[in-house]
Amino acid sequence: MVADRIKQLRLSNNMTQTELAKKLNITRSSVNAWEMGISTPSTTYIVELAQLFHVSTDYLLGLSDNVSLDISHLTEKEIQIVYDLVQYFRTRS
């Protein structure tokens, strides 16, 4: 599960394995091994990945499907727009 989440988050952030490796100061082959499920990141890297991708460690580890969104940098008007958009998609289901 963690392998799939790392790959999905990396791709959704338009990052290559090399770019992610550079951000974490590790080798590209380490990232590749994580994504292939050959190895798993240490707890230190789990925390770093969660911070980098703005998700919880529970989400990264597959313990939760809840995705959070950091809106602390948005204005009140922008927060309202995001809220309205979420409400719109909830009513379409």
Side-chain angles (χ1 to χ4, degrees):
M1 179 63 77
V2 69
D4 296 330
R5 293 275 165 101
I6 292 171
K7 185 173 183 177
Q8 177 264 323
L9 288 166
R10 178 181 60 77
L11 292 174
S12 67
N13 282 272
N14 299 313
M15 267 187 206
T16 65
Q17 288 182 344
T18 301
E19 290 168 333
L20 178 56
K22 284 182 182 179
K23 288 185 181 291
L24 299 172
N25 294 316
I26 59 173
T27 64
R28 186 206 57 80
S29 62
S30 293
V31 173
N32 185 57
W34 294 346
E35 291 184 0
M36 294 186 68
I38 296 168
S39 67
T40 55
S42 68
T43 53
T44 300
Y45 288 118
I46 292 291
V47 171
E48 286 187 41
L49 288 162
Q51 291 173 336
L52 177 66
F53 292 126
H54 305 288
V55 297
S56 70
T57 54
D58 282 356
Y59 177 78
L60 193 59
L61 294 169
L63 300 173
S64 168
D65 286 331
N66 296 333
V67 179
S68 61
L69 178 64
D70 180 8
I71 59 173
S72 61
H73 62 283
L74 300 179
T75 66
E76 287 298 318
K77 183 176 182 180
E78 291 168 334
I79 291 170
Q80 186 59 49
I81 291 169
V82 170
Y83 178 77
D84 291 343
L85 188 59
V86 168
Q87 289 301 99
Y88 168 78
F89 285 117
R90 281 184 179 160
T91 60
R92 289 187 56 208
S93 303

